[in-house]
Amino acid sequence: MLAESLQISGSRVFGESVKGLKWKLDEVDQRLVTTLVQKLDIPDILAAILCHRGVKSVEEANLFLNPKIKDIMPDPFLLKDMSKAADRLAQAVINREKIAIFGDYDVDGATSTALLRRFFLSLGVDVCVYIPNRIIEGYGPNIEALKKLKDEGNSIVVTVDCGIVSFEPVKQATEYGLDIIILDHHLSNNTLPEAYAVVNPNRFDEDFPNKSLAAVGIAFLAAVAIRSKLRSLNWFKEGAEIDLLQYLDLVALGTVCDVMSLTGLNRAFVCQGLKLIGKRKNLGIAALANISRLEATPQSYHLGFVLGPRINAGGRVGEGVLGSDLLTTDDPVFAHQISLRLDQLNSERRAIESVILEEAIADIEKNKLHHKPILIVKGNNWHQGILGILASRLKERYNRPAAVISIVDNIGKGSARSIDGIDLGSMLARAKEAGILLQGGGHAMAGGFTVAVDKIDAFSEYAINTLNGADHLFEKAKEFSIDALLTVGAATGKLVKIINRAAPFGSGNLQPRFALCDVIILNVRLVGAAHMMVIVADAKSDNEIRTTLKCMLFKAKDSELGQSIGGSVGKRVNLFGTLQANFNDDRRADFIIEDLSFVN
């Protein structure tokens, strides 16, 4: 049962924090908590976490804690055009036609192309991968590349994680005699490209229920469908049918790194994929983990913040094929060489990002752009490969949508990131249709666009006018829920193990957050160049010897939060953040600080 030092019941709202956020403990259905505890034999805190994440019944809770693909795997043929696409690709396998896979230069593109390349190679098909140069060719299929693939003898081009708005390139490629099959997940327009088949859960006329699949999830479903078609044609010899579950490490990696909601089918994909990554079945992932010094049991965090950025680093400088090659190779030496290159590129990316981010923040503060409904910053020759990262950093800092534009030769290339409730992808698509943008589209939470320099002001005005009246969403973006209130004594390694049963954490299933209520800061010291170690104890304690807890504040240098903590030794505060197992002793826990408020 729940320890007295851990509170989940009742509601509480804390005053505005140092970061200007509003932290709150929501009411929980105590009857449902009790039912889950009794029926599933789980602790109260785990039951409360499930309730906070929308679980309404014992059945839902059991599926959440024990997600199995076989229980929730949809029929891939429910997707429009999937049967047509699978038929054509199955015939290509039988006829030994050459197939080209055209992918995006991010992790979702790398994993999608790697999955399909591995799949077709295992079927004995001559297959190649084409990843466009981000700097020279830009995003998505282009006419020159498709013509080149045709001239090289490919009869089919499968686009993954791109293609849904590539109208002219697809039309011309079809006239060349190429069969174009689009496997995408980005929002479509109200019309579709003239492709042989368009498989996309987010095409305008699609009623497929799983809208939040990454492109690699769509690629996996396509592989299931193609295998099914080949099976119906008795193509497989006895015992030779391919086990597609071996590709779930790729599906997990792409799903997490594309920030898809870790619920339903995605949750099952990632749970099973993490197990494969832990076994290091894929030589490329294993080599990258070694270069990254990843020794811990892999969690979704490691995919999104350790492996993913390194795979992305190649695409940011026009070497996007490195990621796909890494995830496809079975040569350990080649995998090590690519991993070294990607690690080097990632280090260079971080250095460039730091400089440009400072410029962007200075521009925002000087011109008071953070009072507008969307942050739009621009600069000359900013590195196009890091625009998305910069937009994410700005969105997180100011809790509102952000767009970052790099101007080169009178053309602006932009990337945008949003907050819950504001569909940026649709807004960018509408701006393109209105003639304001040359190109534009994406997801609800992220998008990319191209704009002529003389239309940047018009785009800014259009975006601001579109989002005027969204103040309630900006205020909501400042609200953060916590799963329980803790005392120092409740923050243990045992508690970490309990809450980790609700993993994997990420979009749609955030890592549980807690409030350390009314603690006193005993000591603060710098760790490395930018981090802080903070030792706290319960302010109200009947014991002469206080139990203490180690807390960490990362990237604290020069931050307002770091300065507040550094000047608060001896003061009573509430700390907000997450728990993780202590690196040296898993019986203990460390508290990772995200914010602070003062106790009156």
Side-chain angles (χ1 to χ4, degrees):
M1 294 299 289
L2 186 67
E4 294 180 359
S5 53
L6 194 63
Q7 179 187 338
I8 59 170
S9 60
S11 62
R12 178 171 176 180
V13 179
F14 294 85
E16 190 169 277
S17 69
V18 168
K19 293 172 70 172
L21 306 179
K22 297 174 183 177
W23 294 86
K24 58 189 178 69
L25 173 66
D26 293 328
E27 289 277 7
V28 66
D29 184 342
Q30 193 59 52
R31 288 187 300 178
L32 180 55
V33 168
T34 301
T35 300
L36 297 180
V37 169
Q38 293 174 346
K39 296 290 186 180
L40 298 177
D41 191 24
I42 61 176
D44 299 50
I45 180 59
L46 182 56
I49 288 170
L50 298 182
C51 290
H52 284 149
R53 278 143 189 77
V55 167
K56 301 294 185 184
S57 67
V58 173
E59 291 73 21
E60 287 183 21
N62 191 48
L63 188 60
F64 189 100
L65 295 174
N66 304 287
K68 292 183 172 58
I69 292 175
K70 66 178 182 179
D71 295 335
I72 52 180
M73 179 75 174
D75 180 354
F77 293 110
L78 292 176
L79 279 157
K80 286 181 169 59
D81 275 7
M82 180 64 91
S83 183
K84 186 178 182 182
D87 273 333
R88 179 67 184 90
L89 290 167
Q91 287 302 318
V93 171
I94 293 169
N95 297 332
R96 291 291 189 265
E97 298 175 56
K98 290 186 67 176
I99 299 173
I101 306 165
F102 193 111
D104 190 13
Y105 32 63
D106 65 359
V107 181
D108 196 15
T111 52
S112 300
T113 54
L115 187 154
L116 290 178
R117 180 155 52 164
R118 281 185 172 277
F119 173 66
F120 284 121
L121 286 173
S122 70
L123 297 174
V125 175
D126 188 2
V127 62
C128 70
V129 163
Y130 190 97
I131 307 290
N133 184 301
R134 182 177 202 148
I135 311 302
I136 299 172
E137 297 174 87
Y139 169 78
N142 61 81
I143 295 168
E144 292 76 13
L146 293 175
K147 186 176 188 306
K148 179 175 183 289
L149 292 173
K150 171 64 177 176
D151 292 343
E152 290 174 351
N154 295 284
S155 57
I156 302 175
V157 173
V158 181
T159 74
V160 285
D161 201 26
C162 58
I164 195 63
V165 293
S166 301
F167 294 95
E168 192 59 30
V170 169
K171 180 180 179 181
Q172 291 203 26
T174 301
E175 293 172 357
Y176 293 152
L178 274 175
D179 286 338
I180 305 293
I181 294 174
I182 296 172
L183 304 180
D184 203 352
H185 69 140
H186 294 94
L187 295 171
S188 80
N189 294 343
N190 291 328
T191 55
L192 299 174
E194 298 175 18
Y196 184 89
V198 179
V199 181
N200 184 340
N202 292 302
R203 57 183 268 181
F204 76 96
D205 57 347
E206 181 61 81
D207 53 9
F208 188 72
N210 298 82
K211 300 294 186 183
S212 64
L213 291 175
V216 69
I218 304 301
F220 181 81
L221 292 183
V224 172
I226 296 164
R227 185 183 66 175
S228 176
K229 292 287 187 180
L230 290 171
R231 182 191 296 146
S232 69
L233 296 170
N234 297 316
W235 186 82
F236 291 106
K237 296 178 181 178
E238 185 177 350
E241 194 167 299
I242 298 167
D243 177 14
L244 298 180
L245 297 182
Q246 65 182 303
Y247 303 135
L248 288 179
D249 47 7
L250 298 173
V251 179
L253 182 58
T255 298
V256 170
C257 291
D258 222 46
V259 200
M260 295 292 102
S261 178
L262 299 189
T263 56
L265 183 58
N266 282 342
R267 180 172 171 78
F269 279 156
V270 175
C271 281
Q272 300 307 315
L274 282 170
K275 294 176 184 178
L276 290 178
I277 292 172
K279 295 176 182 178
R280 304 203 171 192
K281 294 288 188 179
N282 184 293
L283 280 183
I285 296 176
L288 196 60
N290 290 336
I291 291 294
S292 308
R293 298 178 180 83
L294 173 55
E295 298 176 357
T297 301
Q299 304 294 334
S300 54
Y301 168 85
H302 299 111
L303 307 191
F305 295 96
V306 178
L307 302 180
R310 287 169 169 80
I311 295 173
N312 265 332
R316 299 188 192 285
V317 295
E319 298 182 41
V321 75
L322 289 177
S324 183
D325 285 347
L326 174 71
L327 299 173
T328 307
T329 186
D330 290 319
D331 181 343
V333 175
F334 186 50
H336 178 71
Q337 291 171 341
I338 297 177
S339 296
L340 283 174
R341 175 62 176 157
L342 290 174
D343 190 59
Q344 174 195 0
L345 292 173
N346 190 54
S347 296
E348 294 172 1
R349 184 271 304 170
R350 284 199 301 263
I352 296 169
E353 175 195 331
S354 178
V355 173
I356 299 178
L357 182 60
E358 287 187 12
E359 290 183 38
I361 291 172
D363 183 31
I364 290 169
E365 299 294 341
K366 177 182 177 181
N367 296 297
K368 302 188 184 313
L369 300 179
H370 52 287
H371 296 304
K372 298 183 181 296
I374 180 171
L375 305 168
I376 299 179
V377 293
K378 61 182 182 294
N380 291 318
N381 296 303
W382 281 353
H383 196 299
Q384 294 180 20
I386 63 170
L387 300 182
I389 294 177
L390 293 172
S392 293
R393 298 281 188 264
L394 296 175
K395 181 204 76 169
E396 292 164 4
R397 183 183 181 97
Y398 295 103
N399 291 301
R400 58 191 55 215
V404 182
I405 303 170
S406 175
I407 301 171
V408 180
D409 296 331
N410 289 318
I411 294 293
K413 292 292 184 69
S415 197
R417 297 294 182 269
S418 193
I419 62 173
D420 287 338
I422 294 179
D423 187 343
L424 268 190
S426 292
M427 186 195 76
L428 293 172
R430 290 194 302 271
K432 177 183 180 297
E433 291 175 0
I436 298 170
L437 298 177
L438 298 173
Q439 295 292 338
H443 310 296
M445 301 297 288
F449 59 96
T450 304
V451 58
V453 168
D454 60 3
K455 289 290 185 72
I456 290 178
D457 289 343
F459 168 64
S460 297
E461 183 179 357
Y462 176 86
I464 290 170
N465 289 338
T466 300
L467 300 183
N468 271 336
D471 290 351
H472 64 291
L473 294 175
F474 304 142
E475 287 303 310
K476 189 172 179 60
K478 294 181 180 180
E479 295 179 0
F480 285 79
S481 295
I482 52 181
D483 290 281
L485 314 179
L486 339 177
T487 63
V488 165
T492 64
K494 180 179 179 181
L495 178 58
V496 173
K497 291 177 182 177
I498 290 171
I499 63 178
N500 280 346
R501 291 177 62 183
F505 302 121
S507 176
N509 180 34
L510 296 177
Q511 185 169 1
R513 287 187 168 106
F514 302 95
L516 272 175
C517 297
D518 198 4
V519 296
I520 187 168
I521 296 178
L522 301 179
N523 186 34
V524 177
R525 70 180 178 88
L526 285 174
V527 177
H531 312 311
M532 282 182 172
M533 179 189 294
V534 184
I535 306 299
V536 303
D538 288 319
K540 297 177 181 178
S541 176
D542 297 329
N543 299 324
E544 292 184 6
I545 302 177
R546 285 174 165 167
T547 300
T548 61
L549 177 68
K550 186 184 84 174
C551 306
M552 292 298 300
L553 176 60
F554 294 109
K555 298 180 180 178
K557 183 182 179 182
D558 300 329
S559 72
E560 183 179 0
L561 180 57
Q563 292 170 3
S564 294
I565 287 179
S568 297
V569 175
K571 294 183 180 179
R572 294 165 59 186
V573 300
N574 303 307
L575 295 178
F576 308 98
T578 60
L579 284 174
Q580 68 178 28
N582 181 275
F583 184 75
N584 296 312
D585 183 356
D586 63 5
R587 294 171 300 178
R588 301 169 59 191
D590 293 339
F591 191 85
I592 310 304
I593 300 171
E594 295 183 23
D595 204 355
L596 167 153
S597 70
F598 292 97
V599 176
N600 296 327

